[in-house]
Amino acid sequence: MHATSPNGSASPTGSTSPNGSASQASPSSPAGSASPTGSTNHGRHTTHHTTVAIIGAGPAGLLLARLLDNAGIDCVVLERRDRAYVEQRQRAGILEQTTVDVLRAAGAAERMDREGMPHDGIELRFDRRSHRIDFPSLTGGRRVMVYAQTEVVKDLIAQQLAGGATLLFEAEVEGVEGVEGAGAGEGGGRGLKDAHQTSAPTPTVHYRHQGHPATLTCEYIVGCDGFHGVARNAVPAAVRTTYERTYPYSWLGILAEAPPVYDELIYAHSPRGFALASMRSPAVSRLYLQVPNGTDPAEWSDARVWEELDARLATDADHGWKLERGPVVAKSVLPMRSWVTEPMRYGRLLLAGDAAHIVPPTGAKGLNLAVADVVTLSRALVQWQVTGSTERLDAYSETCLRRVWRAEHFSYSMTGLLHADPAQSPFETRLQLAQLDRISQSRHAAAELAENYTGLPIKP
């Protein structure tokens, strides 16, 4: 059987031993990572074996590796980009209470607890007035943490390279095969029979590490490689259903070296369009404006961005309120979409994070959903290793999708509530304002928002 590449062509099954480098751990490296089991060398060709192959070193893949390593389950993480690229990707910065708890339990929260900024609420601005949503009083003490996904990734990479599971950068996956079987040998974890001695196909990942072909066999493959990754496309189209909603607007985001003049995030509904005042640190602001699809960031000068933000965030109660301005160090346009693929499991291939679902950023759910996926998956893999039962693995897709669709609904609702659709009528605008007013007047409505924003607990 040949592996299928992302474009549908067959990929070679031969492999060459990867070369290690200072920024990554090699499968044969005696220090800094756990070595895959069952490695074989035939000249320059190497096939190595592990229990779980993880494709993608974003927060989902890295956290899953951390959880599995803590539980004594061998795994290897393959990331097609280099370390510098991965650690510089700008992404979400809001961690739900559940995500914070997971990172602490995994031993990956030391810097987050030192440098992160706990927030007890958000501010809604609409109709030129403001209302604060107090999370602890509405949720029984839950809150969120402002700590950029970029920093979470840096922390997890540092831990993994210091002594965790094998992590390879510049390891581009070309295809996967042998995932069709529903089970995985007898028993679990380190007590498994050799994969080549089982009657079921052996899950196999074909990749190139620093230009050399290589092969990794395993018991399960986990795709954490995002929407454009190989894993999602390895699920046959005949068994895959996709649900999608695109939005008629985008976000223009800036990163500015300017201290926030607000204590918590501000979400603003305005006739001019949505605005969000967020932050990365006490000295760095992260700010967003709703803009038409297809907007070129170069069309927006720094001065224009600041003036528009001030206009959309203005309230009658404080005419003199303005943002603190500073150098804009990054500017980009973010298209918005809602997207889900089902199922999240096909045989011995499991999808997590953006490989399975995408949410618009309004509800701050993307990273947090990925964390919930891998917590659920790690528990299922531990059950399989300890007992040989695939009960939780069999239920993985259904379990995760219940939470995914809850988060999709919340993100969709928040997006529709706060943005101005280009085709929106005055009637629809009044409906938005009526709902925002209800949130400001009704404890039940405010609690519903707060519970979803801070994150629903992950069921045991």
Side-chain angles (χ1 to χ4, degrees), residues 308-350:
E308 190 64 23
L309 283 164
D310 284 338
R312 297 188 190 186
L313 292 165
T315 64
D316 288 337
D318 191 353
H319 291 286
W321 188 93
K322 288 186 180 296
L323 293 166
E324 183 76 26
R325 301 189 181 189
V328 175
V329 297
K331 187 185 300 178
S332 61
V333 169
L334 173 67
M336 302 181 69
R337 69 192 311 192
S338 300
W339 174 86
V340 180
T341 188
E342 297 183 11
M344 291 174 60
R345 179 191 179 190
Y346 174 68
R348 287 193 272 176
L349 170 65
L350 304 108

Side-chain angles (χ1 to χ4, degrees), residues 241-452:
T241 303
T242 297
Y243 304 88
E244 185 171 15
R245 161 85 160 108
T246 57
Y247 296 85
Y249 37 72
S250 300
W251 278 9
L252 172 68
I254 67 167
L255 198 65
E257 294 177 346
V261 293
Y262 40 91
D263 296 325
E264 296 167 336
L265 274 64
I266 303 173
Y267 288 79
H269 174 285
S270 165
R272 306 172 69 100
F274 170 77
L276 170 62
S278 182
M279 61 195 73
R280 283 293 179 265
S281 74
V284 177
S285 296
R286 184 69 164 153
L287 302 138
Y288 298 93
L289 288 169
Q290 176 188 338
V291 295
N293 286 339
T295 293
D296 183 350
E299 298 171 1
W300 284 77
S301 68
D302 294 356
R304 182 186 177 193
V305 172
W306 289 116
E307 290 167 5
E308 190 64 23
L309 283 164
D310 284 338
R312 297 188 190 186
L313 292 165
T315 64
D316 288 337
D318 191 353
H319 291 286
W321 188 93
K322 288 186 180 296
L323 293 166
E324 183 76 26
R325 301 189 181 189
V328 175
V329 297
K331 187 185 300 178
S332 61
V333 169
L334 173 67
M336 302 181 69
R337 69 192 311 192
S338 300
W339 174 86
V340 180
T341 188
E342 297 183 11
M344 291 174 60
R345 179 191 179 190
Y346 174 68
R348 287 193 272 176
L349 170 65
L350 304 108
L351 305 178
D354 287 358
H357 42 73
I358 295 173
V359 291
T362 323
K365 287 285 162 279
L367 166 63
N368 296 294
L369 267 183
V371 169
D373 288 348
V374 300
V375 169
T376 301
L377 181 52
S378 67
R379 292 171 176 172
L381 288 166
V382 169
Q383 181 195 54
W384 164 73
Q385 181 201 41
V386 172
T387 69
S389 170
T390 62
E391 180 182 2
R392 287 193 170 192
L393 285 167
D394 295 339
Y396 169 73
S397 182
E398 181 182 355
T399 301
C400 288
L401 284 169
R402 281 197 296 270
R403 187 185 190 92
V404 166
W405 280 111
R406 175 63 255 160
E408 289 282 355
H409 181 267
F410 175 69
S411 300
Y412 171 83
S413 299
M414 284 282 285
T415 301
L417 179 64
L418 293 166
H419 290 73
D421 191 304
Q424 187 166 299
S425 68
F427 177 84
E428 291 167 314
T429 300
R430 291 294 295 168
L431 290 178
Q432 289 176 320
L433 294 173
Q435 178 61 18
L436 287 164
D437 184 67
R438 179 173 182 270
I439 292 171
S440 71
Q441 300 296 321
S442 165
R443 180 178 177 84
H444 293 295
E448 175 73 9
L449 189 157
E451 288 171 0
N452 281 277

Side-chain angles (χ1 to χ4, degrees), residues 181-213:
E186 299 176 356
R190 304 176 197 277
L192 287 170
K193 297 188 296 182
D194 187 286
H196 298 286
Q197 297 175 0
T198 65
S199 57
T202 302
T204 303
V205 181
H206 300 286
Y207 66 100
R208 298 187 72 84
H209 181 225
Q210 297 180 333
H212 301 290

